[in-house]
Amino acid sequence: MSDFDRITPDVCVWHGYDPAVKADLYSTCLLTATGAYVVDPIPLGNQAFNELIGFARVAGIVVTNSNHHRASAQFAEQFSAPVFARGETFPDKTSSEFRRIADDEICDGLRVIGIEGAASGEIVLHYVPDGGTLVVGDALINFEPYGFTFLPGKYCSNEKEIRRSLRKLLDYEAERAVFAHGMPILSGASDCLRGLLG
């Protein structure tokens, strides 16, 4: 990929089609006070990536579940940055570059929310600035023909549990939501989520 979309001054996304999984894959970059955090990365041209992060350093790579390793190892090596994920996302990782995360903050204003019932290691990130942004792995999708909805049941480890677990997101205000699969919701994301969860 050679281009990206700036959703807010601190949130950018880019995407590309992966014929191996027959789906569009989306990646997100969050620009924080401590540096850039790249979520579920797919390759992006060097010039575009340098424009995306500006003068920020890459503070970390975040992987939202065990299906989203993507180019995380390549990014981690290229930028000498740690990989943040739940332990079950990389069950064999013990290196010092790997940071196991739980429901906690990665840095000021960037919180991890564990989601059960989806793919192994599933998380959602909540980023506080500009009214809040949810960065979703697989637990929620937003693409045709489904629209904004739950991960289809055939991909869930426990469909009832994922719906219960997603209710935790109602505790976080979010103007926007970006997805590993699907178009961003640019306004009223919390209202959309409340409508979906009933």
Side-chain angles (χ1 to χ4, degrees), residues 47-145:
Q47 183 176 344
F49 192 78
N50 290 337
E51 181 185 340
L52 184 156
I53 65 171
F55 294 105
R57 70 180 182 90
V58 177
I61 314 303
V62 184
V63 179
T64 60
N65 67 55
S66 59
N67 296 327
H68 289 180
H69 294 183
R70 299 179 179 180
S72 60
Q74 173 189 331
F75 273 68
E77 182 177 347
Q78 181 178 351
F79 297 105
S80 299
V83 174
F84 293 84
R86 286 174 66 179
E88 53 270 44
T89 301
F90 293 96
D92 301 327
K93 281 266 191 189
T94 55
S95 71
S96 60
E97 292 82 29
F98 179 66
R99 305 280 192 277
R100 290 179 189 272
I101 54 176
D103 287 17
D104 201 357
E105 285 193 335
I106 291 176
C107 68
D108 190 34
L110 179 57
R111 176 163 289 280
V112 175
I113 306 158
I115 303 296
E116 305 306 324
S120 182
E122 182 78 19
I123 61 170
V124 172
L125 299 173
H126 180 254
Y127 187 48
V128 172
D130 296 316
T133 302
L134 292 172
V135 183
V136 184
D138 282 341
L140 296 166
I141 58 172
N142 189 34
F143 60 86
E144 296 305 325

XYZ file of all heavy atoms in Angstrom, residues 47-145:
749
model
N 7.600 6.027 2.150
C 7.317 7.457 2.068
C 5.989 7.786 2.739
O 5.885 8.737 3.514
C 7.309 7.913 0.610
C 7.100 9.402 0.462
C 7.195 9.855 -1.000
O 7.700 9.137 -1.853
N 6.702 11.053 -1.271
N 4.962 6.970 2.467
C 3.655 7.197 3.075
C 3.723 7.009 4.588
O 3.143 7.787 5.348
C 2.617 6.252 2.469
N 4.447 5.983 5.043
C 4.525 5.743 6.484
C 5.253 6.885 7.184
O 4.836 7.334 8.252
C 5.208 4.406 6.790
C 5.049 3.998 8.219
C 3.861 3.454 8.673
C 6.075 4.183 9.137
C 3.684 3.091 10.008
C 5.915 3.828 10.466
C 4.717 3.280 10.894
N 6.316 7.389 6.581
C 7.038 8.522 7.170
C 6.149 9.760 7.244
O 6.197 10.513 8.218
C 8.308 8.817 6.375
C 9.357 7.736 6.540
O 9.344 6.994 7.525
N 10.257 7.622 5.579
N 5.331 9.961 6.222
C 4.384 11.084 6.247
C 3.335 10.874 7.329
O 2.942 11.801 8.032
C 3.721 11.214 4.874
C 2.742 12.368 4.775
C 2.008 12.401 3.444
O 2.485 11.792 2.467
O 0.934 13.030 3.396
N 2.889 9.639 7.484
C 1.868 9.298 8.465
C 2.334 9.614 9.890
O 1.614 10.247 10.654
C 1.525 7.810 8.327
C 0.418 7.194 9.162
C -0.108 5.961 8.470
C 0.905 6.812 10.537
N 3.533 9.179 10.247
C 3.976 9.344 11.641
C 4.702 10.661 11.882
O 4.884 11.064 13.033
C 4.858 8.165 12.119
C 6.175 8.084 11.345
C 4.094 6.864 12.068
C 7.156 7.075 11.919
N 5.122 11.365 10.814
C 5.834 12.629 10.998
C 7.117 12.407 11.767
O 7.918 11.542 11.420
N 7.280 13.173 12.846
C 8.511 13.082 13.647
C 8.372 12.127 14.828
O 9.279 12.001 15.644
C 8.919 14.475 14.143
C 9.320 15.398 13.036
C 8.463 16.413 12.626
C 10.529 15.229 12.374
C 8.821 17.256 11.589
C 10.899 16.068 11.337
C 10.041 17.086 10.936
N 7.225 11.448 14.935
C 7.019 10.523 16.062
C 7.876 9.274 15.879
O 8.168 8.852 14.767
C 5.544 10.134 16.138
N 8.257 8.680 17.001
C 8.922 7.382 16.941
C 7.845 6.308 17.033
O 6.744 6.545 17.551
C 9.923 7.218 18.094
C 9.269 7.059 19.455
C 10.289 6.894 20.578
N 9.614 6.711 21.842
C 9.264 5.534 22.347
N 9.538 4.425 21.694
N 8.639 5.449 23.500
N 8.125 5.121 16.498
C 7.191 4.010 16.639
C 7.404 3.409 18.025
O 8.441 2.804 18.306
C 7.391 2.956 15.529
C 6.460 1.770 15.753
C 7.142 3.577 14.159
N 6.424 3.613 18.899
C 6.536 3.164 20.294
C 6.111 1.711 20.461
O 6.502 1.061 21.432
C 5.699 4.066 21.201
N 5.317 1.187 19.525
C 4.887 -0.195 19.666
C 3.988 -0.644 18.537
O 3.399 0.167 17.817
N 3.915 -1.954 18.403
C 3.019 -2.610 17.461
C 1.986 -3.346 18.310
O 2.350 -4.060 19.250
C 3.774 -3.651 16.590
C 5.086 -3.096 16.047
C 2.870 -4.191 15.496
C 4.995 -1.843 15.242
N 0.697 -3.173 18.003
C -0.362 -3.838 18.762
C -1.060 -4.832 17.843
O -1.442 -4.496 16.719
C -1.385 -2.832 19.318
C -2.427 -3.549 20.179
C -0.697 -1.722 20.118
N -1.204 -6.064 18.323
C -1.869 -7.116 17.555
C -3.154 -7.479 18.301
O -3.101 -7.876 19.473
C -0.947 -8.341 17.377
C -1.657 -9.441 16.595
C 0.344 -7.927 16.670
N -4.305 -7.354 17.612
C -5.596 -7.466 18.297
C -6.098 -8.889 18.492
O -7.056 -9.084 19.236
C -6.685 -6.659 17.563
O -6.819 -7.160 16.225
C -6.352 -5.169 17.545
N -5.494 -9.882 17.829
C -5.854 -11.275 18.095
C -4.905 -12.206 17.355
O -4.062 -11.765 16.575
C -7.334 -11.575 17.766
C -7.654 -11.492 16.299
O -7.027 -12.151 15.467
N -8.642 -10.675 15.954
N -5.070 -13.487 17.575
C -4.139 -14.481 17.034
C -4.208 -14.627 15.518
O -3.326 -15.242 14.919
C -4.387 -15.844 17.699
O -5.724 -16.257 17.468
N -5.224 -14.067 14.879
C -5.331 -14.111 13.418
C -4.694 -12.897 12.740
O -4.713 -12.817 11.510
C -6.803 -14.188 12.992
C -7.473 -15.451 13.455
O -6.841 -16.501 13.534
N -8.751 -15.365 13.777
N -4.183 -11.963 13.512
C -3.753 -10.683 12.948
C -2.259 -10.432 13.086
O -1.838 -9.287 13.200
C -4.539 -9.540 13.595
C -5.971 -9.499 13.169
N -6.855 -8.559 13.632
C -6.675 -10.288 12.319
C -8.043 -8.770 13.084
N -7.952 -9.823 12.294
N -1.457 -11.464 13.031
C -0.002 -11.268 13.084
C 0.467 -10.394 11.930
O 1.358 -9.568 12.103
C 0.722 -12.606 13.045
C 0.472 -13.448 14.244
N 1.092 -14.656 14.426
C -0.324 -13.289 15.326
C 0.693 -15.195 15.563
N -0.177 -14.388 16.123
N -0.088 -10.605 10.744
C 0.165 -9.793 9.562
C 1.644 -9.441 9.447
O 2.502 -10.318 9.467
C -0.741 -8.556 9.572
C -2.238 -8.903 9.543
C -3.108 -7.678 9.575
N -4.524 -8.008 9.518
C -5.469 -7.112 9.539
N -5.165 -5.824 9.617
N -6.741 -7.483 9.484
N 1.966 -8.137 9.349
C 3.365 -7.718 9.200
C 3.940 -7.228 10.529
O 4.877 -6.434 10.551
C 3.480 -6.625 8.139
N 3.398 -7.720 11.650
C 3.843 -7.210 12.961
C 5.322 -7.467 13.211
O 6.037 -6.592 13.715
C 2.993 -7.798 14.086
O 3.075 -9.205 14.113
N 5.816 -8.647 12.847
C 7.233 -8.954 13.068
C 8.119 -8.053 12.219
O 9.154 -7.556 12.696
C 7.510 -10.419 12.750
N 7.704 -7.811 10.988
C 8.472 -6.934 10.096
C 8.529 -5.510 10.654
O 9.593 -4.890 10.684
C 7.815 -6.936 8.707
C 8.387 -5.950 7.719
C 7.526 -5.863 6.457
O 6.862 -6.820 6.072
N 7.524 -4.703 5.832
N 7.382 -4.977 11.105
C 7.349 -3.636 11.673
C 8.186 -3.566 12.947
O 8.917 -2.602 13.171
C 5.908 -3.214 11.964
C 5.203 -2.566 10.813
C 4.873 -3.290 9.679
C 4.857 -1.229 10.853
C 4.212 -2.705 8.613
C 4.197 -0.628 9.797
C 3.875 -1.362 8.668
N 8.052 -4.573 13.809
C 8.803 -4.583 15.069
C 10.305 -4.556 14.807
O 11.047 -3.827 15.474
C 8.423 -5.802 15.894
N 10.745 -5.335 13.838
C 12.172 -5.367 13.517
C 12.618 -4.061 12.872
O 13.646 -3.487 13.246
C 12.467 -6.538 12.570
C 13.938 -6.660 12.227
C 14.232 -7.872 11.355
O 13.359 -8.752 11.217
O 15.350 -7.920 10.820
N 11.838 -3.563 11.921
C 12.208 -2.341 11.202
C 12.336 -1.152 12.137
O 13.231 -0.319 11.977
C 11.168 -2.049 10.116
C 11.459 -0.806 9.294
C 10.424 -0.590 8.198
O 9.582 -1.444 7.928
N 10.481 0.563 7.555
N 11.449 -1.057 13.133
C 11.428 0.116 14.005
C 11.950 -0.174 15.413
O 11.849 0.685 16.289
C 10.009 0.682 14.066
C 9.519 1.161 12.732
C 8.600 0.421 12.005
C 10.001 2.335 12.177
C 8.162 0.842 10.759
C 9.573 2.782 10.935
C 8.657 2.026 10.223
N 12.502 -1.369 15.632
C 12.996 -1.759 16.960
C 11.966 -1.452 18.034
O 12.263 -0.826 19.056
C 14.321 -1.035 17.265
O 15.290 -1.381 16.311
N 10.741 -1.882 17.777
C 9.620 -1.577 18.660
C 9.045 -2.865 19.234
O 9.027 -3.900 18.569
C 8.532 -0.828 17.885
N 8.549 -2.822 20.466
C 7.933 -4.017 21.058
C 6.571 -4.315 20.441
O 5.904 -3.430 19.907
C 7.790 -3.641 22.536
C 7.685 -2.155 22.538
C 8.542 -1.682 21.394
N 6.164 -5.576 20.532
C 4.839 -6.014 20.095
C 3.978 -6.204 21.340
O 4.359 -6.926 22.262
C 4.915 -7.331 19.292
C 3.518 -7.845 18.971
C 5.724 -7.134 18.014
N 2.820 -5.549 21.369
C 1.868 -5.646 22.470
C 0.712 -6.547 22.054
O 0.091 -6.322 21.011
C 1.311 -4.267 22.829
C 2.310 -3.318 23.404
C 3.135 -2.562 22.577
C 2.444 -3.166 24.779
C 4.058 -1.677 23.101
C 3.370 -2.285 25.318
C 4.174 -1.533 24.466
N 0.403 -7.556 22.867
C -0.719 -8.456 22.586
C -1.007 -9.277 23.832
O -0.165 -9.381 24.731
C -0.387 -9.384 21.413
N -2.191 -9.863 23.883
C -2.484 -10.814 24.954
C -1.628 -12.053 24.744
O -1.243 -12.384 23.614
C -3.965 -11.165 24.956
C -4.825 -10.024 25.494
C -6.310 -10.280 25.371
N -6.751 -11.392 26.207
C -8.023 -11.787 26.270
N -8.959 -11.188 25.552
N -8.359 -12.803 27.039
N -1.331 -12.753 25.812
C -0.445 -13.909 25.750
C -0.878 -14.967 24.771
O -0.054 -15.549 24.061
N -2.186 -15.223 24.656
C -2.663 -16.275 23.765
C -2.559 -15.891 22.284
O -2.700 -16.741 21.411
C -4.093 -16.701 24.117
C -5.109 -15.602 24.201
C -5.265 -14.980 25.580
O -4.256 -14.707 26.239
O -6.417 -14.752 25.989
N -2.290 -14.617 21.995
C -2.100 -14.178 20.606
C -0.794 -14.732 20.040
O -0.713 -15.090 18.869
C -2.113 -12.644 20.525
O -3.367 -12.178 21.030
C -1.928 -12.151 19.102
N 0.233 -14.775 20.890
C 1.541 -15.328 20.520
C 1.954 -16.315 21.611
O 2.803 -15.996 22.445
C 2.596 -14.218 20.414
C 2.393 -13.251 19.293
C 1.743 -12.048 19.499
C 2.874 -13.528 18.015
C 1.576 -11.135 18.467
C 2.717 -12.629 16.979
C 2.062 -11.428 17.205
N 1.380 -17.503 21.663
C 1.637 -18.407 22.785
C 3.097 -18.822 22.937
O 3.515 -19.197 24.024
C 0.747 -19.615 22.491
C 0.408 -19.531 21.052
C 0.456 -18.081 20.680
N 3.893 -18.718 21.879
C 5.289 -19.144 21.954
C 6.267 -17.989 22.142
O 7.472 -18.199 22.174
C 5.673 -19.917 20.678
C 4.789 -21.143 20.489
O 4.386 -21.734 21.497
O 4.498 -21.484 19.322
N 5.760 -16.767 22.257
C 6.644 -15.604 22.368
C 7.084 -15.398 23.808
O 6.265 -15.271 24.702
C 5.928 -14.333 21.896
C 5.875 -14.176 20.403
C 7.033 -13.345 19.952
C 6.803 -12.987 18.488
N 7.912 -12.383 17.865
N 8.378 -15.341 24.011
C 8.906 -15.028 25.344
C 9.994 -13.966 25.253
O 10.615 -13.634 26.245
C 9.501 -16.287 26.008
O 10.482 -16.851 25.142
C 8.421 -17.312 26.291
N 10.233 -13.423 24.057
C 11.339 -12.478 23.882
C 11.054 -11.173 24.608
O 9.924 -10.839 24.928
C 11.577 -12.199 22.397
O 10.520 -11.412 21.882
N 12.107 -10.413 24.833
C 11.977 -9.135 25.529
C 11.225 -8.117 24.685
O 10.745 -7.116 25.201
C 13.364 -8.595 25.889
O 14.128 -8.405 24.712
N 11.113 -8.362 23.367
C 10.387 -7.438 22.502
C 8.871 -7.640 22.587
O 8.115 -6.852 22.037
C 10.827 -7.593 21.038
C 12.248 -7.154 20.759
C 13.272 -8.229 21.122
O 12.945 -9.424 21.057
O 14.389 -7.851 21.510
N 8.423 -8.701 23.245
C 6.998 -8.984 23.355
C 6.483 -8.503 24.705
O 7.073 -8.786 25.745
C 6.743 -10.482 23.195
C 5.292 -10.856 23.316
C 4.375 -10.432 22.364
C 4.841 -11.620 24.370
C 3.031 -10.762 22.470
C 3.512 -11.966 24.485
C 2.601 -11.536 23.530
N 5.374 -7.749 24.685
C 4.763 -7.241 25.910
C 3.362 -7.833 26.036
O 2.491 -7.540 25.229
C 4.643 -5.721 25.876
C 5.927 -4.976 25.624
C 6.771 -4.862 26.885
N 7.860 -3.925 26.720
C 9.027 -4.189 26.156
N 9.264 -5.398 25.689
N 9.964 -3.276 26.054
N 3.170 -8.680 27.052
C 1.831 -9.227 27.308
C 0.973 -8.123 27.917
O 1.395 -7.438 28.846
C 1.914 -10.401 28.282
C 2.568 -11.618 27.682
C 2.657 -12.748 28.711
N 3.463 -13.825 28.195
C 2.995 -14.827 27.461
N 1.721 -14.890 27.183
N 3.802 -15.770 27.020
N -0.243 -7.994 27.399
C -1.133 -6.954 27.896
C -2.429 -7.583 28.401
O -2.815 -8.666 27.993
C -1.433 -5.896 26.811
C -1.962 -6.545 25.521
C -0.208 -5.051 26.525
C -2.360 -5.573 24.438
N -3.067 -6.856 29.299
C -4.372 -7.247 29.834
C -5.237 -5.987 29.814
O -4.872 -4.998 29.181
C -4.210 -7.799 31.244
N -6.358 -6.001 30.501
C -7.223 -4.818 30.538
C -6.527 -3.734 31.344
O -6.649 -3.655 32.568
C -8.571 -5.161 31.169
C -9.438 -5.989 30.239
O -8.894 -6.564 29.277
O -10.654 -6.045 30.466
N -5.775 -2.911 30.654
C -4.947 -1.891 31.288
C -4.580 -0.859 30.230
O -4.917 -1.003 29.061
C -3.689 -2.541 31.871
C -3.036 -1.690 32.950
O -3.531 -0.571 33.212
O -2.040 -2.135 33.525
N -3.842 0.172 30.627
C -3.378 1.165 29.671
C -2.017 0.781 29.116
O -1.124 0.387 29.863
C -3.294 2.549 30.319
C -4.639 3.203 30.519
C -4.523 4.673 30.864
O -3.490 5.101 31.393
O -5.485 5.400 30.592
N -1.866 0.911 27.799
C -0.549 0.767 27.171
C 0.250 2.036 27.417
O 1.437 2.002 27.705
C -0.696 0.484 25.664
C -1.290 -0.911 25.447
C 0.651 0.600 24.960
C -1.557 -1.257 24.001
N -0.424 3.171 27.264
C 0.150 4.470 27.596
C -1.012 5.370 27.989
O -2.172 4.957 27.917
C 0.954 5.045 26.417
S -0.061 5.508 24.999
N -0.721 6.583 28.403
C -1.765 7.494 28.848
C -2.794 7.705 27.730
O -2.445 8.125 26.625
C -1.142 8.833 29.250
C -2.133 9.733 29.949
O -3.000 9.220 30.687
O -2.053 10.962 29.749
N -4.047 7.358 27.996
C -5.114 7.562 27.031
C -5.333 6.439 26.052
O -6.217 6.528 25.198
N -4.559 5.348 26.150
C -4.718 4.201 25.250
C -4.935 2.950 26.090
O -4.010 2.421 26.693
C -3.502 4.042 24.342
C -3.535 2.860 23.353
C -4.759 2.945 22.448
C -2.257 2.819 22.533
N -6.184 2.496 26.146
C -6.585 1.394 27.015
C -6.895 0.141 26.222
O -7.473 0.199 25.143
C -7.808 1.795 27.840
C -8.359 0.670 28.710
C -9.267 1.173 29.786
N -8.553 1.880 30.833
C -7.886 1.302 31.827
N -7.816 -0.013 31.902
N -7.293 2.018 32.746
N -6.536 -1.004 26.809
C -6.824 -2.322 26.249
C -8.082 -2.875 26.926
O -8.210 -2.823 28.146
C -5.648 -3.292 26.512
C -5.989 -4.699 26.041
C -4.383 -2.789 25.845
N -8.999 -3.418 26.113
C -10.216 -4.039 26.616
C -10.274 -5.458 26.048
O -10.444 -5.642 24.835
C -11.474 -3.246 26.188
C -11.339 -1.771 26.594
C -12.736 -3.873 26.780
C -12.207 -0.827 25.800
N -10.106 -6.459 26.902
C -10.145 -7.849 26.456
C -11.566 -8.273 26.105
O -12.510 -7.946 26.821
N -11.695 -8.980 24.985
C -12.999 -9.467 24.524
C -12.937 -10.986 24.429
O -12.086 -11.536 23.728
C -13.368 -8.869 23.147
C -13.371 -7.334 23.185
C -14.708 -9.419 22.661
C -14.418 -6.722 24.099
N -13.841 -11.641 25.121
C -13.895 -13.109 25.115
C -14.918 -13.588 24.086
O -15.893 -12.904 23.801
C -14.270 -13.626 26.506
C -13.368 -13.122 27.617
C -11.895 -13.382 27.385
O -11.556 -14.438 26.818
O -11.070 -12.532 27.759
N -14.691 -14.779 23.560
C -15.658 -15.400 22.663
C -15.393 -15.201 21.188
O -16.065 -15.796 20.353
N -14.420 -14.345 20.853
C -14.064 -14.134 19.444
C -12.830 -14.978 19.145
O -12.705 -16.100 19.627
C -13.813 -12.652 19.187
N -11.898 -14.454 18.366
C -10.640 -15.154 18.121
C -9.799 -15.147 19.393
O -9.985 -14.306 20.282
C -9.882 -14.473 16.984
N -8.861 -16.056 19.482
C -7.978 -16.136 20.641
C -7.191 -14.832 20.791
O -6.631 -14.309 19.833
C -7.022 -17.315 20.439
O -6.181 -17.463 21.540
N -7.181 -14.300 22.021
C -6.424 -13.080 22.303
C -7.098 -11.793 21.904
O -6.477 -10.723 21.926
N -8.372 -11.838 21.563
C -9.089 -10.659 21.043
C -9.075 -9.485 22.025
O -9.341 -9.640 23.222
C -10.541 -11.039 20.744
C -11.381 -9.931 20.152
C -11.128 -9.713 18.668
O -10.580 -10.620 18.003
O -11.508 -8.644 18.162
N -8.772 -8.299 21.483
C -8.851 -7.058 22.255
C -9.493 -5.970 21.397
O -9.537 -6.057 20.175
C -7.466 -6.548 22.728
C -6.549 -6.239 21.533
C -6.821 -7.529 23.688
C -5.258 -5.508 21.907
N -9.992 -4.951 22.087
C -10.388 -3.684 21.488
C -9.570 -2.627 22.206
O -9.333 -2.721 23.412
C -11.899 -3.421 21.666
C -12.266 -2.015 21.226
C -12.712 -4.452 20.884
N -9.112 -1.622 21.469
C -8.406 -0.493 22.074
C -9.355 0.693 22.161
O -10.163 0.919 21.253
C -7.197 -0.095 21.229
C -6.115 -1.151 21.033
C -5.076 -0.659 20.035
C -5.455 -1.497 22.357
N -9.248 1.459 23.260
C -9.966 2.729 23.366
C -8.925 3.829 23.483
O -8.089 3.809 24.394
C -10.889 2.749 24.592
C -11.627 4.046 24.722
N -11.303 4.992 25.669
C -12.649 4.567 23.991
C -12.107 6.035 25.537
N -12.940 5.794 24.532
N -8.982 4.761 22.535
C -8.047 5.885 22.512
C -8.843 7.153 22.796
O -9.789 7.484 22.079
C -7.340 5.942 21.152
C -6.235 6.958 21.082
C -5.265 7.036 22.071
C -6.150 7.837 20.009
C -4.244 7.967 22.010
C -5.129 8.767 19.929
C -4.178 8.833 20.929
O -3.167 9.764 20.872
N -8.488 7.882 23.854
C -9.313 8.945 24.418
C -9.430 10.216 23.567
O -10.518 10.779 23.469
C -8.795 9.299 25.838
C -9.488 10.531 26.394
C -8.976 8.106 26.767
N -8.361 10.729 22.933
C -8.443 12.059 22.316
C -9.557 12.231 21.279
O -10.021 11.262 20.672
C -7.069 12.230 21.657
C -6.156 11.377 22.467
C -6.993 10.183 22.848
N -9.962 13.492 21.108
C -10.930 13.892 20.070
C -12.249 13.154 20.179
O -12.821 12.732 19.171
C -10.335 13.691 18.669
C -9.126 14.586 18.423
O -9.192 15.775 18.780
O -8.132 14.086 17.883
N -12.743 12.959 21.384
C -14.041 12.322 21.571
C -14.000 10.816 21.658
O -15.021 10.180 21.864
N -12.814 10.224 21.495
C -12.649 8.782 21.669
C -12.740 7.988 20.373
O -13.548 8.286 19.489
N -11.865 6.987 20.274
C -11.838 6.085 19.122
C -11.724 4.657 19.634
O -10.875 4.375 20.483
C -10.626 6.385 18.205
O -10.686 7.744 17.770
C -10.613 5.460 16.986
N -12.560 3.767 19.127
C -12.429 2.336 19.380
C -11.699 1.716 18.199
O -12.060 1.971 17.040
C -13.792 1.676 19.544
C -14.599 2.062 20.784
C -16.004 1.470 20.701
C -13.891 1.611 22.056
N -10.678 0.910 18.486
C -9.943 0.181 17.454
C -10.260 -1.290 17.677
O -9.863 -1.874 18.686
C -8.425 0.440 17.536
C -7.704 -0.279 16.405
C -8.122 1.942 17.518
N -10.992 -1.881 16.726
C -11.581 -3.208 16.908
C -10.840 -4.236 16.053
O -10.572 -3.993 14.878
C -13.075 -3.190 16.514
C -13.724 -4.543 16.787
C -13.814 -2.085 17.264
N -10.542 -5.398 16.664
C -9.953 -6.507 15.921
C -11.010 -7.189 15.079
O -11.437 -6.668 14.048
N -11.479 -8.356 15.523
C -12.487 -9.107 14.760
C -13.864 -9.108 15.406
O -14.834 -9.549 14.788
C -12.046 -10.575 14.613
C -10.989 -10.763 13.543
O -10.841 -9.880 12.687
O -10.309 -11.805 13.572
N -13.985 -8.649 16.634
C -15.239 -8.812 17.378
C -16.417 -8.104 16.728
O -17.562 -8.549 16.848
C -15.064 -8.317 18.816
N -16.135 -6.990 16.036
C -17.162 -6.257 15.297
C -16.627 -5.994 13.893
O -15.418 -5.813 13.712
C -17.468 -4.912 15.978
C -18.074 -4.988 17.379
C -18.009 -3.623 18.055
C -19.510 -5.492 17.322
N -17.533 -5.975 12.925
C -17.136 -5.713 11.543
C -18.007 -4.598 10.976
O -19.057 -4.269 11.543
C -17.262 -6.987 10.667
C -18.704 -7.522 10.695
C -16.284 -8.061 11.150
C -18.976 -8.652 9.722
N -17.590 -4.048 9.846
C -18.386 -3.006 9.191
C -18.117 -3.034 7.692
O -17.400 -2.186 7.163
C -18.068 -1.626 9.771
C -19.033 -0.580 9.266
O -20.200 -0.852 9.041
N -18.546 0.643 9.086
N -18.643 -4.054 7.010
C -18.493 -4.126 5.560
C -19.692 -4.858 4.963
O -20.422 -5.558 5.663
C -17.169 -4.799 5.159
C -17.000 -6.212 5.639
C -17.496 -7.293 4.922
C -16.314 -6.467 6.820
C -17.326 -8.592 5.362
C -16.132 -7.768 7.276
C -16.639 -8.836 6.544
N -19.879 -4.640 3.679
C -21.015 -5.264 2.977
C -20.764 -6.756 2.776
O -19.619 -7.153 2.595
C -21.236 -4.565 1.638
C -21.633 -3.100 1.769
C -22.852 -2.889 2.648
O -23.768 -3.747 2.646
O -22.884 -1.878 3.357
N -21.789 -7.582 2.830
C -23.207 -7.239 2.913
C -23.728 -7.127 4.340
O -24.915 -6.935 4.552
C -23.872 -8.439 2.206
C -22.997 -9.602 2.580
C -21.587 -9.040 2.621
